[in-house]
Amino acid sequence: MNRVISSFRDGKGFDIALVGAALLFLGIFAGLPLVYNVVMSFQAVDMFSLGTFARPFVGFDNYIAVFSEPIFWPVMRNTVVFVVASIGGQFVIGFGLALFFTLKFPGSTYLRGLFLVSWVMPGLVVGAIWNWILAGDFGVLNFALTGLGIIEDNIFWRSDTAFSLWAVIIANIWLGTSFNMILLSVGLASIPRDLYEAAALDGANGWQRFWTITLPMMRATIGAVISLGLIFTLQQFDLFAAITSGGPANSSNVAQYWAWDFSFRQYDFAKGATISVLMIALVMVASVIYVRSTRHEVRG
Amino acid sequence: MTAQPQIELTNIDKHYGSFHALRDINLTIENGQFVALVGPSGCGKSTLLRSLAGLESISGGTMKIAGDVMNGVPPRKRDVAMVFQSYALYPHMSVLDNLTYSLRLKRRPKSEAEAAANEVAATTGLQKLLRRLPRELSGGQRQRVAMGRAIIRHPKAFLFDEPLSNLDAALRVHMRKEIRALHDRLRATSVYVTHDQIEAMTMADHVVVMREGVIEQQGAPLELYDRPANMFVAGFIGSPAMNFVDGTVDGSGTGARLALPDEPSIQIGKRLEPGRKITVGLRPEFLQLASGDEAALHLSVTTVESTGSTTYISSLGEPEIVVVVNGRTDVAAGDKIGLAIAPENVHAFDPETGKAI
Ligand SMILES: Nc1ncnc2c1ncn2[C@@H]1O[C@H](COP(=O)(O)OP(=O)(O)OP(=O)(O)O)[C@@H](O)[C@H]1O
Ligand SMILES: [Mg+2]
């Protein structure tokens, strides 16, 4: 008994207890639902069997059903466009801002702090504000674009099938840019200044310094930002609910919204779970890429 | 072409906000010269070097490299190479890529860059390490890569900012010789910043002593040692530091009474007006143990420290006097010793201005 207590006090037992607590937490709140979700995707689920776990297994029937939905491919295409365009926009603008804020001008740290505002706002609120900005008749965006002469006639962002997905993408880029910027700023700050000085003396201009020093030194950070971005965009739901509700005519429907629609509007939990499983697979791929990119980290 | 100085600084001033970091710096460095900038911490050595590299902008004056005015020219167009105290090796590149970085930027053919890298690796002893990353190297090896990266460019000038201060004492002495030998072979104009006066004295052709942004004195190493212009340089150059004793010129004008117990009198090797207050400088290595009539001053010993080859005898008092004796001695703490010094080795300074008389 004494041995147990002392091992607890002297580290090893304590370590195990800490890890155990974390694992237990993860298991109950993430592991079990995950497994439950996967199991459900292989079962026939309806309103009556929802309360029991003993439901008939139907093999890949749910998957076949989901794949043969007429909007399956459009939704997948929308999801890919949404993820790629959102991450691309957030990353490029976030990186640009991060680089901009490395120029230490008066008030730069406060200004950078202000960017975090977008991050603390709930998605539904952001969606509501963007609804006004994007409004076809009185929206500020149309006003600006026509004023600059970029477009002739007002665009009905939310109700035009050609633009509805992009309306959500624009709002999502705005929402995620500050997160990208902060993470990339931290990465930039950890690159020693004298490397840039050495490179400048070696004859590198600003562009060459960016390509040969900044980018390779930022590899791990960029990997982290993009894979976290993938997870955040795949779970972005509020903006769809607030701006387009997946419409019109599913033109802005994406996997995560579709899954919710199946489960909680059509009460077809099996199909909802099936789409979730497909998304889990995608996130797993991203996680592997992320872990690999940090493993190759080179510093100092 | 060779007649013009390689680096020419006239009336250089540098302000950091309200802080005046460099004041009216004038310095001419001939082609192929090895110049050391020394001075205590914070005196502006790095600032001057970084201004030369273009990493800091200067507030006033003219800076010429190889005859061209460099004020406002960006670092990459100055054609100077710098070895940083931190080495600043590119952590994500192999030794080979570190060495060839500047050549690759200039889009030199790969074969040419690798040939140059191999040649530099041979002179710096890095042949077997070309595939390694910087973090897989020892401190001394990193230092060599930093040197190699500078050498490969054949720049107009090499700038070193305390390149040896991260190495242990033995390696430092070794690298000191190596850098000097390299310089003797390449004959490239070099500016070497250090706070270690021994490094400066042993490596450089020309030593510049700085304090608080001002050049106190510059010249050949032994000239600074033999004829320091003021008490600061006299105290900074030489190890252990020169002893300073207040004194008054006596009636003859060629001797001085020292403000020590018994008010001893010594010959000062020059004629000054009688009664003038002076500060006398006595180098520890020129004070000799003496007895009887030869001894000009007498002191009681407080500590005796010997390294085996050299013995340091000190007399703690106001002021403290240190004597260096070659080899060993049987003098012990508590003894009373007599000391003598040749008049030509006695320095005299004005106590008000600190300037040499
Ligand atoms: N960016 C800066 N802003 C304000 N003051 C500075 C700046 N850089 C240096 N200084 C000041 O300028 C003075 C000279 O600095 P410098 O780095 O040239 O000293 P140094 O002689 O190289 O000292 P060390 O031997 O410690 O390296 C110091 O008093 C320092 O505080
Ligand atoms: Mg310095």
Side-chain angles (χ1 to χ4, degrees):
Chain A
M1 192 61 214
N2 238 339
R3 202 140 28 93
V4 176
I5 292 174
S6 88
S7 99
F8 188 80
R9 229 187 10 230
D10 297 343
K12 198 140 191 203
F14 190 60
D15 295 349
I16 291 170
L18 279 183
V19 173
L23 278 181
L24 195 71
F25 184 87
L26 263 180
I28 291 175
F29 293 106
L32 279 183
L34 202 89
V35 171
Y36 188 72
N37 191 64
V38 173
V39 169
M40 214 154 65
S41 75
F42 291 103
Q43 291 179 324
V45 190
D46 55 33
M47 286 301 280
F48 304 103
S49 63
L50 196 55
T52 80
F53 194 59
R55 290 176 290 240
F57 278 88
V58 293
F60 282 94
D61 278 5
N62 289 322
Y63 288 84
I64 292 164
V66 166
F67 281 121
S68 53
E69 285 281 340
I71 62 165
F72 177 78
W73 289 111
V75 166
M76 287 302 130
R77 193 194 65 93
N78 285 348
T79 309
V80 170
V81 170
F82 178 70
V83 165
V84 171
S86 293
I87 293 182
Q90 292 171 354
F91 178 77
V92 170
I93 300 174
F95 207 170
L97 284 170
L99 287 170
F100 174 67
F101 282 116
T102 57
L103 311 169
K104 297 250 174 288
F105 53 90
S108 61
T109 42
Y110 295 100
L111 205 56
R112 189 168 61 183
L114 272 183
F115 272 85
L116 280 180
V117 166
S118 72
W119 202 29
V120 299
M121 287 223 283
L124 283 173
V125 175
V126 173
I129 292 171
W130 275 96
N131 275 344
W132 287 336
I133 298 176
L134 295 165
D137 32 17
F138 61 86
V140 156
L141 187 62
N142 276 339
F143 179 76
L145 290 178
T146 42
L148 289 169
I150 296 174
I151 55 171
E152 295 266 301
D153 302 312
N154 281 350
I155 295 177
F156 286 79
W157 291 96
R158 297 163 54 210
S159 50
D160 188 328
T161 51
F163 291 106
S164 55
L165 184 62
W166 291 97
V168 187
I169 289 173
I170 291 171
N172 193 37
I173 289 174
W174 181 85
L175 192 64
T177 292
S178 64
F179 175 75
N180 279 249
M181 179 195 69
I182 293 297
L183 242 64
L184 293 167
S185 282
V186 172
L188 285 176
S190 69
I191 302 177
R193 255 195 56 185
D194 55 11
L195 292 187
Y196 289 109
E197 296 180 343
L201 284 165
D202 271 344
N205 60 30
W207 186 243
Q208 290 168 323
R209 290 199 290 271
F210 179 77
W211 277 105
T212 58
I213 309 288
T214 311
L215 271 189
M217 294 288 290
M218 291 284 282
R219 233 183 90 160
T221 315
I222 291 172
V225 165
I226 290 191
S227 32
L228 288 175
L230 178 63
I231 292 168
F232 288 153
T233 46
L234 278 182
Q235 69 177 29
Q236 180 51 263
F237 174 81
D238 302 12
L239 289 178
F240 287 96
I243 298 177
T244 63
S245 304
N250 288 313
S251 62
S252 65
N253 204 354
V254 289
Q256 63 267 37
Y257 193 82
W258 198 30
W260 172 81
D261 194 75
F262 267 128
S263 295
F264 299 105
R265 287 236 291 238
Q266 305 177 27
Y267 299 108
D268 191 340
F269 288 95
K271 278 189 189 151
T274 306
I275 297 169
S276 308
V277 170
L278 294 176
M279 291 174 67
I280 290 169
L282 241 163
V283 171
M284 299 262 254
V285 172
S287 309
V288 169
I289 295 171
Y290 168 55
V291 169
R292 287 186 148 243
S293 75
T294 48
R295 195 188 308 149
H296 288 287
E297 189 161 15
V298 196
R299 280 273 151 87
Chain B
M1 189 61 210
T2 48
Q4 90 182 348
Q6 188 72 352
I7 296 177
E8 209 175 353
L9 308 180
T10 28
N11 311 115
I12 301 291
D13 268 290
K14 165 79 185 166
H15 296 268
Y16 285 116
S18 63
F19 181 72
H20 205 163
L22 297 175
R23 295 161 195 257
D24 197 25
I25 301 287
N26 287 288
L27 178 60
T28 303
I29 299 174
E30 303 301 333
N31 198 354
Q33 223 176 10
F34 195 114
V35 173
L37 299 180
V38 267
S41 185
C43 70
K45 311 177 292 282
S46 299
T47 304
L48 183 55
L49 197 75
R50 291 170 57 81
S51 306
L52 258 174
L55 299 172
E56 302 280 352
S57 58
I58 50 173
S59 324
T62 314
M63 177 173 284
K64 283 189 187 171
I65 297 177
D68 301 320
V69 175
M70 284 293 156
N71 297 29
V73 174
R76 67 191 165 89
K77 298 210 172 131
R78 293 200 181 194
D79 193 19
V80 297
M82 186 153 162
V83 177
F84 293 75
Q85 181 174 356
S86 60
Y87 312 139
L89 302 180
Y90 310 122
H92 55 291
M93 297 183 200
S94 66
V95 169
L96 178 69
D97 288 345
N98 264 279
L99 291 176
T100 56
Y101 182 70
S102 56
L103 302 177
R104 285 184 287 131
L105 286 176
K106 287 192 201 123
R107 309 215 180 286
R108 290 286 162 73
K110 201 170 170 211
S111 57
E112 185 192 324
E114 286 192 359
N118 283 327
E119 196 190 316
V120 167
T123 48
T124 47
L126 291 168
Q127 299 100 317
K128 295 213 173 71
L129 306 172
L130 287 173
R131 301 279 152 214
R132 297 234 193 131
L133 286 174
R135 68 185 145 105
E136 299 163 340
L137 300 176
S138 73
Q141 290 165 339
R142 287 178 204 193
Q143 216 283 328
R144 284 166 213 263
V145 178
M147 297 273 301
R149 197 172 62 178
I151 295 169
I152 204 166
R153 289 175 43 201
H154 303 292
K156 293 206 182 87
F158 287 103
L159 310 177
F160 300 89
D161 193 353
E162 312 210 19
L164 304 184
S165 55
N166 288 337
L167 305 179
D168 69 48
L171 191 54
R172 197 149 60 213
V173 172
H174 175 76
M175 287 306 294
R176 198 157 89 193
K177 295 208 185 79
E178 225 168 75
I179 292 178
R180 179 65 218 200
L182 204 60
H183 176 261
D184 288 340
R185 238 189 23 219
L186 302 176
R187 282 281 147 213
T189 312
S190 306
V191 184
Y192 188 101
V193 162
T194 173
H195 60 261
D196 180 353
Q197 54 98 13
I198 298 192
E199 230 167 79
M201 298 286 285
T202 51
M203 295 174 78
D205 309 316
H206 187 86
V207 175
V208 177
V209 182
M210 294 179 64
R211 177 171 63 159
E212 290 175 7
V214 176
I215 293 183
E216 291 280 348
Q217 189 178 3
Q218 51 177 305
L222 293 182
E223 188 187 319
L224 298 191
Y225 180 85
D226 292 336
R227 283 182 295 282
N230 53 44
M231 283 174 67
F232 174 75
V233 176
F236 193 80
I237 300 287
S239 170
M242 186 184 275
N243 300 298
F244 294 108
V245 187
D246 288 336
T248 315
V249 179
D250 64 16
S252 68
T254 58
R257 289 207 158 274
L258 303 183
L260 285 172
D262 322 328
E263 300 214 347
S265 202
I266 61 163
Q267 291 298 305
I268 55 173
K270 48 182 77 70
R271 179 175 295 277
L272 301 172
E273 70 257 43
R276 178 172 180 182
K277 298 275 183 216
I278 58 172
T279 298
V280 174
L282 309 167
R283 287 209 182 273
E285 52 275 32
F286 288 127
L287 284 168
Q288 287 167 337
L289 293 177
S291 54
D293 283 352
E294 286 175 16
L297 45 151
H298 297 270
L299 294 170
S300 49
V301 176
T302 34
T303 57
V304 178
E305 299 159 311
S306 183
T307 62
S309 62
T310 319
T311 305
Y312 302 88
I313 304 170
S314 22
S315 164
L316 278 177
E318 198 49 55
E320 179 186 1
I321 302 285
V322 178
V323 180
V324 174
V325 182
N326 260 333
R328 300 168 196 200
T329 155
D330 44 18
V331 171
D335 289 358
K336 197 102 175 140
I337 52 166
L339 295 171
I341 186 164
E344 64 270 22
N345 290 330
V346 175
H347 299 267
F349 303 95
D350 186 317
E352 303 288 314
T353 62
K355 291 218 159 58
I357 301 172

